[in-house]
Amino acid sequence: MPVLTVMVLTASCGYAAALHAAEIPQEELVGTWTSSAGTSLAFSEEHTFTGTGFDRVDAMADCERPEALSGGRWAFYVSPDGSGLAVPDEKATRGHELQLSFTEDPACTVWVYLYGYFGDAEHPSMCPTKDPDVGCPADGYLKREQATPPS
């Protein structure tokens, strides 16, 4: 990881996030993620998502009617010119952060940080948050559900 990236993550995500930031490839993002607060997100390869319980996510409090939100598009953030300025790009196939844009409220976008779950990159979690230095409440982290093997 280049030093500039670590510095950007430290400035934008807080010290703890920089230490535990996880770069997730698209194939590991695709699937269902849930929080103990009752929020669920299902990501597709086509850069769409659906979900429930968005009214339980603090980062969506400024969205118009978060209880009515049900899906939209997602994209990883990338720094296309290496300047450290990140923008959402649906062509990116991996990342530390992503943006959720809602179909029902185009003005509602949410920044989501990807973490190694308590430092374990094998079990990532995500945090939708308005203030990355604050992070998520304990029940606000979404964890990927493991696929059930066929019987």
Side-chain angles (χ1 to χ4, degrees), residues 41-130:
L41 279 166
F43 294 93
S44 78
E45 291 178 12
E46 292 77 30
H47 290 267
T48 61
F49 69 90
T50 58
T52 59
F54 294 120
D55 57 326
R56 298 179 187 109
V57 178
D58 292 344
M60 296 179 195
D62 293 337
C63 297
E64 193 172 313
R65 298 187 57 228
E67 72 281 357
L69 298 174
S70 64
R73 301 205 53 87
W74 67 268
F76 285 115
Y77 276 96
V78 297
S79 177
D81 59 5
S83 69
L85 178 63
V87 295
D89 183 352
E90 287 191 12
K91 293 178 187 153
T93 59
R94 60 187 322 107
H96 296 96
E97 305 135 352
L98 44 106
Q99 180 187 65
L100 304 180
S101 301
F102 291 86
T103 304
E104 300 87 0
D105 182 359
C108 179
T109 60
V110 176
W111 197 306
V112 179
Y113 295 93
L114 303 167
Y115 297 98
Y117 180 55
F118 295 107
D120 180 1
E122 296 295 316
H123 300 94
S125 61
M126 64 175 61
C127 172
T129 183
K130 287 191 279 188

